[in-house]
């Protein structure tokens, strides 16, 4: 369902006009109110009065994550704290977090873009929405919460973890829409099997999954296991939180960007040059209406591509392909760029493995090695476990014909599709650590 036909189905020319006007206003505003931007624009030789429309975008300087860290906690705010009604922060891997602020208008806009996203997957005021993203400084929980409430749905603010209770509420409350990470949804399925819960009998209809990159193959796996539609949602706290973009349930073909608020472009991550529509590169977003924390050309680090073709659902806004990885998650193995989600797609082509895997990278001499550890299915495990001592024991494993064949099939698929040779390590079902939040899939021993 289309919530805001005026903005989601606007003609591209009219939209460009609106985006251009809003861009000019945002540049004026950050120049007036944020010393960091005043200096940055001056250093880049930009006269804010000369920024008139979209054609001027490539001349503007970028904002990076490090700029937010350097201005910690409130240095980039364009509104006084008196007008800031909410503060979130994203955890940094080292040191201080990144702080983001919202005025009341920002909170309203956020609820609205989240409501558009949830409406796009078919949510209405008849739905029961279980929000299993974390509540707290992380934007996931409250973002989904406000959007679902704005639609008039019944919201269950359960937050993350609480695995058994999540399943109990599916049954007792009759949850119809689930919001969580895709890896958590897979974990819930494992636990449901242990509890003998027939998940296909649940009223659950659709899942809104995000906060980590996942593959098309994992979507098919989740949809088959739960008998639901699985849609991809995208956002980042620096820009607003979840609701920057979301797939529509009709087409599931790219995530509709709310581009009347968030102006997207794709750049070459190495040269920072703007790339033409359709090319793969790093997503850069300029906020067009934010009050507390407006950002100009923010480098998200996420790798995707854009299209402005009209979607089968009727929306005309830009769509981004599902994020294939973050530029800083990208592994370079013997000169080849590899994203964990690519490996995931290849693994899930085989019927005998489960979507639980880890990638171990190490270096022997000058040679990078990638080992793919993946769980085999319960059925295959039953078949092989009598014949072999342990999956970790290479001598017995290589004596088992089915495993040897599966191993060479996976190696061939990875070689054909990604272009590298990998080792494959099989693991027993349930032995790879499950995540109740964002999955950690890569262990890079080269950095230690
Ligand atoms: Zn669509």
């Amino acid at each position: 369902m289309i919530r805001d036909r005026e903005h989601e189905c606007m003609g591209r020319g009219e939209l460009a006009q609106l985006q251009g006007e809003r861009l000019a206003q945002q540049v004026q505003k950050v120049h007036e109110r944020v010393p960091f931007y005043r200096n940055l624009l001056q250093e880049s030789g930009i006269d804010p009065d000369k920024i008139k429309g979209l054609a001027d975008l490539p001349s503007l300087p970028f904002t990076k994550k490090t700029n937010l860290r350097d201005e910690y906690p409130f240095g980039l705010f364009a509104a006084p704290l008196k007008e800031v009604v909410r503060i979130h922060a994203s955890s940094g891997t080292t040191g201080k977090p990144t702080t983001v602020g919202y005025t009341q208008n920002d909170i309203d806009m956020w609820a609205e873009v989240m409501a558009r996203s949830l409406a796009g997957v078919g949510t209405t005021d008849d739905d029961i929405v279980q929000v299993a993203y974390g509540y707290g400084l992380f934007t996931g929980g409250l973002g989904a919460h406000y959007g679902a409430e704005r639609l008039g749905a019944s919201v269950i603010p359960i937050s993350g973890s609480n695995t058994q209770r999540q399943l109990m509420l599916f049954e007792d409350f009759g949850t119809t829409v689930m919001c969580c990470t895709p890896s958590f949804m897979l974990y819930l399925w494992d636990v449901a099997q242990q509890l003998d819960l027939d998940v296909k009998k649940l009223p659950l209809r659709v899942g809104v999954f995000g906060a980590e990159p996942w593959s098309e193959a994992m979507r098919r796996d989740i949809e088959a296991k739960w008998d639901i539609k699985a849609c991809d949602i995208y956002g980042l706290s620096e820009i607003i939180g979840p609701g920057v973009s979301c797939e529509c349930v009709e087409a599931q073909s790219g995530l509709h960007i709310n581009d009347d608020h968030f102006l997207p472009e794709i750049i070459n991550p190495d040269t920072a040059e703007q790339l033409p529509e359709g090319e793969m590169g790093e997503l850069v977003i300029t906020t067009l209406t934010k009050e507390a924390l407006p950002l100009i050309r923010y480098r998200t680090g996420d790798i995707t591509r854009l299209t402005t073709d009209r979607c089968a659902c009727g929306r005309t806004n830009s769509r981004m392909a599902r994020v294939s990885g973050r530029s800083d998650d990208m592994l370079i193995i013997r000169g080849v760029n590899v994203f964990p989600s690519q490996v995931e797609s290849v693994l899930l082509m085989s019927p005998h493995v489960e979507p639980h895997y880890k990638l171990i990278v190490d270096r022997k001499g000058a040679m990078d090695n990638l080992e793919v550890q993946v769980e085999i299915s319960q059925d295959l495990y039953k078949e092989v476990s009598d014949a072999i001592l342990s999956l970790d024991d290479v001598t017995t494993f290589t004596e088992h014909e089915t495993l040897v064949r599966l191993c060479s099939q996976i190696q061939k698929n990875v070689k054909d599709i990604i272009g590298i040779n990998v080792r494959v390590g099989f693991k027993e079902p349930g032995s790879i650590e499950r995540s109740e939040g964002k999955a950690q899939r890569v262990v890079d021993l080269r950095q230690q």
Side-chain angles (χ1 to χ4, degrees), residues 195-431:
L195 299 174
D196 272 333
L197 173 67
D198 185 357
V199 300
K200 294 194 175 173
K201 289 213 174 112
L202 295 169
L204 197 63
R205 195 179 77 239
V206 64
V208 189
F209 303 122
E212 65 188 18
W214 53 308
S215 65
E216 214 34 58
M218 187 177 282
R219 184 217 300 277
R220 286 193 296 273
D221 189 52
I222 292 176
E223 290 191 334
K225 280 177 168 157
W226 288 92
D227 193 19
I228 58 171
K229 286 280 192 179
C231 293
D232 193 8
I233 187 164
Y234 172 81
L236 63 169
S237 61
E238 297 90 318
I239 297 303
I240 192 84
V244 171
S245 64
C246 189
E247 283 178 337
C248 61
V249 74
E250 295 94 334
Q252 291 180 308
S253 170
L255 294 85
H256 288 279
I257 303 178
N258 287 299
D259 56 3
D260 51 327
H261 295 289
F262 315 115
L263 178 62
E265 52 183 320
I266 297 290
I267 62 165
N268 176 325
D270 300 322
T271 63
E273 266 174 302
Q274 205 180 48
L275 294 174
E277 182 170 325
E279 282 192 33
M280 198 70 133
E282 180 179 346
L283 178 66
V284 170
I285 296 177
T286 300
T287 65
L288 295 176
T289 52
K290 279 273 285 300
E291 292 182 344
L293 184 66
L295 294 179
I296 305 295
R297 301 192 88 193
Y298 183 70
R299 292 189 60 160
T300 65
D302 292 319
I303 305 295
T304 183
R305 61 186 140 72
L306 296 177
T307 174
T308 54
D309 293 346
R310 175 191 285 268
C311 180
C313 70
R315 290 178 181 81
T316 53
N317 48 19
S318 334
R319 275 174 294 151
M320 56 190 264
R322 59 167 61 248
V323 170
S324 54
R326 289 188 50 76
S327 53
D328 42 10
D329 277 353
M330 188 178 76
L331 293 165
I332 301 178
I333 311 286
R334 299 190 287 272
V336 179
N337 297 347
V338 181
F339 287 106
S341 57
Q342 289 177 297
V343 180
E344 177 183 303
S345 299
V346 175
L347 285 176
L348 292 185
M349 290 164 64
S350 161
H352 301 296
V353 301
E354 292 296 314
H356 301 289
Y357 63 96
K358 256 195 156 50
L359 307 180
I360 317 284
V361 195
D362 64 9
R363 180 171 288 155
K364 297 241 161 61
M367 199 63 167
D368 294 329
N369 292 300
L370 176 60
E371 177 174 324
V372 178
Q373 297 184 345
V374 63
E375 284 180 16
I376 57 173
S377 66
Q378 197 72 47
D379 290 346
L380 178 59
Y381 183 65
K382 273 191 203 129
E383 181 192 326
V384 304
S385 57
D386 291 338
I388 59 173
L389 289 172
S390 151
L391 283 168
D392 289 326
D393 182 345
V394 175
T395 31
T396 58
F397 145 49
T398 50
E399 280 164 15
H400 200 285
E401 199 191 328
T402 315
L403 288 176
V404 171
R405 214 174 329 120
L406 181 59
C407 175
S408 46
Q409 188 59 52
I410 290 173
Q411 286 175 321
K412 182 178 182 301
N413 289 347
V414 173
K415 177 74 186 167
D416 289 351
I417 294 166
I418 306 176
I420 51 168
N421 293 307
V422 294
R423 284 198 306 262
V424 174
F426 293 120
K427 296 283 160 193
E428 291 172 20
S431 64

Side-chain angles (χ1 to χ4, degrees), residues 3 14 37 47 80 92 164 175 193 234 237:
R3 177 174 167 81
E14 202 188 338
Y37 275 121
D47 176 355
Q164 299 214 3
T175 304
Q193 302 314 296
Y234 172 81
S237 61

